[in-house]
Amino acid sequence: MAEREAILPLRLEGVCFDAGGKRLIEDVSFGLRAGKRSVILGPNGAGKSLLLRLCHGLLSPSAGTISWAAPEGAGRAHRQAMVFQRPVLLRRSAAANVAYPLRLRGVPARERGARVEEALARAGLGAKSKQAARSLSGGEQQRLAMARAWVMAPEVLFLDEPTANLDPAATRAIETLIGDVHASGAKIVMTTHDLGQARRLADEILFLHRGRLLERAEAAAFFSKPRTAEASAFLKGDLAW
Amino acid sequence: MVTRRIFLAGFILAAMTFPGLAAERSIVVASTTSTENSGLFGAILPIFEAASGIRVKIVAVGTGQAIKLARNGDADVLLVHHRPSEEAFVGQGFGVKRFSIMYNDFVLVGPENDPAGVRGLTDAATALARIAAAKAIFASRGDDSGTHKKELELWRAAKVHAQAASGQWYRETGAGMGATLNTASALGAYVLADRGTWIAFANKGDLGIMVEGDARLFNPYGAILVNPARHRHIKAAEGQAFIDWLISPAGQQAIADYKRGGRQLFFPNAD
Amino acid sequence: MNDITAAFGMAFAMLLDLDRDLIEIVGLSLRVSFLAVGLAVLLGLPLGAAVALYRFPGRTVLHALLTAFMGLPPVVVGLVVYLLLSRAGPLGVLGLLFTPAAMILAQCLLVLPIVAALSAQIVADLNREYDEQLRSLAAGPGQRLVTLLWDGRFSLLTAILAGFGRAIAEVGAVMIVGGNIAHSTRVMTTAIALETSKGNLALALGLGLVLIVLALTVNLAVLALRDAVRPSHG
Ligand SMILES: Nc1ncnc2c1ncn2[C@@H]1O[C@H](COP(=O)(O)OP(=O)(O)OP(=O)(O)O)[C@@H](O)[C@H]1O
Ligand SMILES: [Mg+2]
């Protein structure tokens, strides 16, 4: 494959987002470069999901700019993927769900089969490829959403609490998949409020509170020595939101 | 994907198996509900079709609508029963020539208890005048059909302005002969009907013939080929072949032979 | 009433011995309505989905028209199609008047607004659920339309069956443009109208019962087919 222009880094400059007459994201600025696993941490309602949606382009900022290195036309939308907290699966078989983004991207049918099979196998769903996606269990659905994201070979993968409501085994399976995607060279940007998960996966932490980015630090530094009072309260489990 | 293909294939298959789309020699005849409802066509058309190989498609509507269809060139032959309209049709150049085919007559039908006391009269106008005087319910076709036009002539002869009582004792159904007979049967109303439809009608209830035999109740049918000079697609040869057959000894005999309950419904009268 | 019991007897007898005329009429009814609905589906599903998904000038008006036309009087449609197809009309040269094709066209126009308006609703609802996911996957407008139609297929089936019910049951339009010609354009409903006008009320009602059985059978068959397919595709 020919070397493409990189889409990262992603830059947010003074980004605000208003809805319902309220400012929900307030003057957030940061950059995301390739490589690191960046974890957005913060209490319920801090604005983590909004921030991910803004980065992914599903929401437009009310003020400020969001810019990628690659220009609009470079197939930017096709080079990133997002796994939602509650993924929407198509009313089709598991395999058809994984094949779907490949079809959208014009991958010829004869290439799709093998890639779909591999993605399902990695997600541990090889035996369920023919099953209706919506009849899968919650954890299986989450893994299917991961497989669907993985098959696109995205350069950036956004994950919004990918393991909320999952049992420990399913959580481990998802975390392994995230590790695989990262190992293949993709940038990982995810939210979580599972501190254990953040410790296991994060290279760096972006700490969000009431719509503001309060702190950004290497994971080890953040967990051992948070700089703000809010962050240390959050880590101790007594931050009031 | 597979299901989609099956649907499509079934669809195409269904489209191809249309029997009516196959090429065949056929003509469209615009005619009246009275002739169709009486069953006459069902009896005589197979004889013509076997002899000529021409399919005759009858569109049975009121005389007014039949003439409109023929004017627009939507029928090859017009076969109706209102002589003045037929002559006007030919006179205006829409039709080639009128041929007398057959006749039957109209009868004034009414409820057994005969509230207007018209049973046995031989003067239709007098009978209508009595119905009006008694304000007995009268069901009119009200649809510009041959029968309706005849009825209006009779009201004029009786010097009654029946439409002034429309919605009261004078009820205009705006429907075909059969539908109007159904209405009359339900209301116990008087109604003017052609004898053919009356005899074949199955839902008589307590209706019966009250008045018949008046010369004014004569009901002649004529056939006209729609003028091919006006509409190039008119199947003149086939249409004329049908008319020629109707007035031929074979056609006239077929009409005379059609009976319901042992009674002849139409009387051939070709010149 | 006597006629009603007689009608049940007649309907039963007709279904048992299936005489040739009845088969012919039933066959034509089914073919005309199937093709009309098929055509209406080919046009109406994309139209309904487009109204639901795309912003274009006149969209609101079109949506209102489709919804209002769900209740279009069949005779009016029949008249319009007659005026179009009459030899004196703009499409007269086609010679389609008093043929099954004319009946298909008329029924298609009757069914189209039903299929389009209902599918617009179904697609709009589904789009609300799918919107973020499809945007995230970078589905284009055309891809989105196809995806929503396909994923809404089981709900859309109900819209299609509603259209079929309308087509198979209407009499006003096919009477005018088909002409109720024996062995050519006579269908169940026009045959019922004819027998009613002949005063054969029991026979007419018997045919009506057969028509109901027919519509019911088609609905049950379609729903059974759906349930047979559904588990494996979700
Ligand atoms: N469209 C909207 N209108 C009004 N308020 C909104 C809207 N969307 C989100 N919010 C509010 O914005 C805040 C941030 O929402 P967001 O979903 O980003 O929180 P979060 O950090 O992801 O929380 P959680 O950890 O519970 O998922 C919440 O208080 C939410 O109620
Ligand atoms: Mg959230």
Side-chain angles (χ1 to χ4, degrees), chain B residues 90-108:
Chain B
V90 173
Q92 291 158 3
F94 291 110
V96 178
K97 182 175 183 317
R98 179 187 182 277
F99 293 87
S100 290
I101 303 297
M102 60 190 184
Y103 67 90
N104 64 356
D105 61 347
F106 292 107
V107 290
L108 183 66

Side-chain angles (χ1 to χ4, degrees), chain A residues 166-211:
Chain A
L166 295 189
D167 71 20
T171 301
R172 184 142 20 87
I174 296 276
E175 286 179 4
T176 310
L177 278 169
I178 294 171
D180 289 352
V181 175
H182 183 239
S184 72
K187 166 80 179 175
I188 302 289
V189 185
M190 64 182 282
T191 70
T192 184
H193 31 48
D194 176 344
L195 288 177
Q197 182 167 65
R199 280 180 214 274
R200 287 193 295 279
L201 292 182
D203 294 318
E204 64 167 352
I205 300 289
L206 287 87
F207 180 69
L208 207 61
H209 182 53
R210 292 190 181 154

Side-chain angles (χ1 to χ4, degrees), chain C residues 81-107:
Chain C
V81 174
Y82 167 72
L83 291 173
L84 287 175
L85 295 184
S86 165
R87 292 290 183 171
L91 302 177
V93 285
L94 301 177
L96 289 180
L97 193 65
F98 303 138
T99 66
M103 300 158 78
I104 292 169
L105 179 62
Q107 287 193 350

